């Protein structure tokens, strides 16, 4: 077969994916071709006339067929951009979603406030963050990188946990890849790691100042109706039980025993769960405050639960 150009392969790939149910056939084809030839998407768009070698074409066609069969682009590339960083992703964990970037921004704001709002004499213990159900480590690692840019990571310890040992391995790989493994300890645990568990290289107090979590929150009955690519992701990362909030509720019940006075939990929820999280907080966390933040699409996305305490209103 004659050698094809980048432009021809993108056109062919786009046509193939347009008939197989992708909402973004051209984008998918560009990303898969870029990956197949070891270039980035910008180069693919800029050089339609460039020839593509046999190996690149073969890899592109193989991935195109897998994409046509529903496999997510992120798993085929082994990569997903999140909060301006490239994360290694594969079937060990959920692919990070753009709406989850909000939790990183909110957590960063909480930490900046804690680190700049009052004096921190030498010897003040680090602020402790727990990312519960970390998956590929996206929230913990993106938060660590954001804090490092602000020069604040040295005063923060982040413990990232996941019940899946495979996800723990992946999150550790991402912490190492982004050079924050000295401040992000990853550990296998059902929700919060037990108080007192050593999480090297962290010192870790038993109390946590800021909890962040994107736990599974899809109602079990809704799982089958999700788009086909989602079926490639671990069901345990999505299945939130009959009302979607089983895992969130379990975590909420742990908070009084583990969250420091004045501490905050930022919990990602589904668009229809804003009222449910507020009710849950009112019922299970008397005296705490609860607010719900919306994502860029205007949908309820993060429940913010604050344990009222000394000096913080
Ligand atoms: N937003 C995800 C989805 O709809 C759900 C993620 C989750 O359950 N935490 O696929």
């Amino acid at each position: 077969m004659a050698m094809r150009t980048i432009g021809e392969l993108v056109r062919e790939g786009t046509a193939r994916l347009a008939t197989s149910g992708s909402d973004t056939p051209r984008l998918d084809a560009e990303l898969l071709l870029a990956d197949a030839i070891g270039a980035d998407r910008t180069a693919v768009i800029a050089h339609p006339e460039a020839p593509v070698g046999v190996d690149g074409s073969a890899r592109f066609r193989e991935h195109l067929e897998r994409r046509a069969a529903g496999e997510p682009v992120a798993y085929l590339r082994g990569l997903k951009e999140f909060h301006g960083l490239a994360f290694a992703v594969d079937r060990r964990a959920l692919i990070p979603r753009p709406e989850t970037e909000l939790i990183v921004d909110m957590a960063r704001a909480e930490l900046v406030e804690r680190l700049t709002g009052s004096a921190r004499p030498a010897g003040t213990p680090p602020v402790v963050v727990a990312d519960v159900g970390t998956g590929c480590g996206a929230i913990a690692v993106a938060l660590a990188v954001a804090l490092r840019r602000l020069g604040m990571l040295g005063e923060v310890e982040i413990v990232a946990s996941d019940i899946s040992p495979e996800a723990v391995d992946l999150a550790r790989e991402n912490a190492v890849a982004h050079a924050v493994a000295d401040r992000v300890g990853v550990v296998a645990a059902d929700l919060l790691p037990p108080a007192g568990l050593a999480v090297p290289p962290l010192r870790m107090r038993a109390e946590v100042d800021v909890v962040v979590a994107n736990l599974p929150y899809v109602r079990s009955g809704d799982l089958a109706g999700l788009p086909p690519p989602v079926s490639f992701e671990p069901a345990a990362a999505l299945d939130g039980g009959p009302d979607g909030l089983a895992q969130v509720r379990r975590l909420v019940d742990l908070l009084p025993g583990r969250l420091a006075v004045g501490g905050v939990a930022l919990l990602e929820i589904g668009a229809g769960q804003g009222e449910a999280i507020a009710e849950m907080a009112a019922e299970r966390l008397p005296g705490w405050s609860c607010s719900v933040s919306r994502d860029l699409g205007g949908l309820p996305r993060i429940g913010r639960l604050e344990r009222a305490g000394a000096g913080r209103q």
Side-chain angles (χ1 to χ4, degrees):
M1 194 166 32
M3 205 180 263
R4 294 304 183 78
T5 65
I6 283 181
E8 285 166 352
L9 288 180
V10 168
R11 265 195 306 282
E12 276 180 40
T14 304
R16 174 75 182 94
L17 296 180
T19 56
S20 68
S22 170
D23 294 337
T24 52
R26 187 174 186 96
L27 172 64
D28 292 6
E30 287 168 353
L31 288 171
L32 292 179
L33 183 56
D35 176 68
I37 63 176
D40 62 23
R41 182 171 161 239
T42 321
V44 162
I45 293 168
H47 302 292
E49 73 295 341
V52 177
V54 209
D55 291 351
S57 297
R59 182 175 163 88
F60 176 60
R61 287 179 205 286
E62 190 220 316
H63 281 186
L64 203 59
E65 288 316 307
R66 284 168 63 180
R67 176 72 194 102
E71 198 162 339
V73 172
Y75 284 165
L76 293 167
R77 298 170 73 209
L79 190 72
K80 177 72 182 181
E81 292 83 2
F82 177 82
H83 212 264
L85 303 174
F87 281 86
V89 293
D90 55 40
R91 293 182 74 158
R92 288 178 287 178
L94 193 81
I95 300 163
R97 310 288 203 258
E99 57 269 24
T100 302
E101 294 177 354
L102 177 59
I103 214 168
V104 177
D105 294 335
M106 289 179 67
R108 177 180 49 193
E110 295 288 347
L111 287 156
V112 168
E113 191 196 312
R114 278 170 171 69
L115 293 169
T116 58
S118 55
R120 295 180 59 77
T124 306
V127 178
V128 177
V129 179
D131 177 14
V132 181
T134 194
C136 77
I139 297 174
V141 170
L143 179 60
V145 169
L147 292 169
R148 190 177 55 196
R149 286 195 189 120
L150 295 169
M152 294 180 177
L153 186 55
E155 293 192 76
V156 177
E157 289 191 341
I158 304 177
V159 58
S161 56
D162 203 288
I163 195 166
S164 154
E166 295 185 321
V168 166
D169 289 343
L170 179 60
R172 224 173 251 146
E173 287 162 30
N174 278 310
V176 169
H178 289 287
V180 290
D182 56 332
R183 307 306 296 176
V184 178
V186 191
V187 63
D190 179 13
L191 301 176
L192 280 165
L197 182 80
V199 184
L202 311 182
R203 280 172 293 170
M204 282 301 289
R205 288 176 289 125
E207 280 199 329
V208 177
D209 299 295
V210 176
V211 168
V212 290
N214 176 17
L215 292 171
Y217 55 70
V218 178
R219 282 194 294 264
S220 304
D222 292 344
L223 280 177
L226 295 175
V230 179
S231 67
F232 287 79
E233 298 182 281
L238 293 154
D239 188 347
D243 72 344
L245 290 168
Q247 299 303 330
V248 172
R249 199 175 293 111
R250 289 180 64 228
L251 177 58
V252 162
D253 285 344
L254 294 178
L255 294 178
R258 299 295 301 282
L259 197 68
V261 169
V264 159
L266 302 169
L267 311 180
E268 182 167 324
I269 51 169
Q273 295 170 339
E275 283 176 21
I277 189 90
E279 279 166 25
M280 193 189 296
E283 197 178 298
R284 293 168 183 259
L285 302 172
W288 295 38
S289 62
C290 173
S291 58
V292 174
S293 297
R294 291 172 185 269
D295 63 20
L296 290 174
L299 302 171
R301 185 61 60 193
I302 312 291
R304 179 184 184 281
L305 311 177
E306 177 166 2
R307 177 174 214 167
R312 295 181 61 86
Q313 299 294 313

